[in-house]
Amino acid sequence: MRHLMGPLDFTAEELDKLFDLANDIEHNMAKYAHACDGKKLATCFYEPSTRTRLSFESAMLNLGGSVIGFSDAGSSSASKGESVSDTIRVISCFADICAMRHPKEGAPMVAASKSSIPVINAGDGGHQHPTQTLTDLLTIRSLKGKIENFTVGLCGDLKFGRTVHSLIHALMRYPDIHFIFISPEELKVPDYLTDMLKEKNIPYEEVIRLEEIMPSLDFLYMTRVQKERFFNEEDYVRLKDFYILDKPKMDLAKSDMLVLHPLPRVNEISVEIDDDPRAAYFKQVQYGVYVRMALILTLLEIQV
Ligand code: NCD
């Protein structure tokens, strides 16, 4: 039995197979409509979510399966003091697969160690968010036909953003990726990630101004300042509108540059660029459903 805890749990070859399956699902939805008949997904969300939880639920319903779960720790027995280990043992009796989001780093890993069903990490604190990364990679591969030889800008909260941490890990495995990290000093990428890049001789730059590097980017991955992970409100207020991607900045970018964002967006992308053909963040949401369908089938070892 396999779980998905981090973006490197699958080999690059396994990911290729997963993305091929996701693209097949995209073009032949009807073929998969009963693939999970009789199967249940449990969504155990101890932290707020719109996209990830509903994307998982939609994925399972598209496969003919059903969904149970909770979307708020307050409405689960966590509020009575139940441990994640006990909860997953119980959920294992009810469902065939579980997607778990938790504010504590490593909580889904603890759950996986006690679980008799596959557990998917749907985001653990400021640590990892592997299914968002699968979504990001599938979007890149589907829209550009490859995942290599790109200059990728990651902008915003690179310190607390788990989607950023997972994406950097995953992209390290592909050839000729040049990273440009764009953040204020206080929200820089953690040292453990830049140390890893140095060790692997993968080129990266760290800059503060977005304007100066816009012309060189193939992708711009914008992120929200992670309010819930700040220790004080004052710092958040000072940093929250540090970057706003607007039309004048988009005018500096290549004509085929793509803007990605895991969403939710707050102010960091002006709505005036939503209709720019380079804005790919809503397409990204759709790819998230296909890749989660492919992931559920893969972890349940169901072949169609
Ligand atoms: C992200 C998350 O939860 O980390 N959202 C998502 O799952 N698409 C990004 C965020 O909350 O900023």
Side-chain angles (χ1 to χ4, degrees), residues 51-52 101 129 132 162-163 224 226 228 261-264:
R51 248 152 314 275
T52 305
R101 169 169 289 190
H129 192 345
Q132 181 62 47
R162 56 193 173 196
T163 60
R224 167 181 78 88
Q226 305 279 296
E228 65 277 34
H261 190 308
L263 303 179

Side-chain angles (χ1 to χ4, degrees), residues 51-52 132 163 221-224 260-265 268-269 281-282 284-285:
R51 248 152 314 275
T52 305
Q132 181 62 47
T163 60
Y221 196 86
M222 289 298 292
T223 61
R224 167 181 78 88
L260 301 180
H261 190 308
L263 303 179
R265 146 178 71 184
E268 61 279 358
I269 300 181
Y281 31 91
F282 291 116
Q284 207 178 337
V285 177

Side-chain angles (χ1 to χ4, degrees), residues 6-46:
L8 302 184
D9 289 6
F10 287 111
T11 64
E13 293 71 35
E14 285 173 325
L15 281 189
D16 264 341
K17 274 179 68 183
L18 188 85
F19 298 147
D20 286 343
L21 177 58
N23 286 138
D24 192 58
I25 290 170
E26 173 186 3
H27 299 293
N28 304 290
M29 275 294 246
K31 186 171 130 194
Y32 295 89
H34 295 287
C36 282
D37 276 357
K39 300 282 184 200
K40 267 182 255 159
L41 164 77
T43 52
C44 300
F45 276 59
Y46 297 82

Side-chain angles (χ1 to χ4, degrees), residues 19 129-142 147 163-164 166-167 171 219 221 260-262 284 287-288 291:
F19 298 147
H129 192 345
T131 62
Q132 181 62 47
T133 299
L134 297 182
T135 302
D136 303 337
L137 296 179
L138 176 66
T139 306
I140 294 173
R141 205 185 81 144
S142 302
I147 312 176
T163 60
V164 168
S166 286
L167 185 57
L171 283 175
F219 285 97
Y221 196 86
L260 301 180
H261 190 308
Q284 207 178 337
Y287 284 116
V291 91

Side-chain angles (χ1 to χ4, degrees), residues 244-256:
I244 297 182
L245 182 64
D246 54 12
K247 204 167 167 312
K249 291 195 192 77
M250 286 299 283
D251 288 344
L252 302 170
K254 290 183 189 169
S255 59
D256 62 348

Side-chain angles (χ1 to χ4, degrees), residues 208-219:
I208 295 179
R209 276 173 55 78
L210 186 51
E211 288 85 340
E212 66 195 58
I213 49 77
M214 278 304 272
S216 62
L217 300 180
D218 296 307
F219 285 97

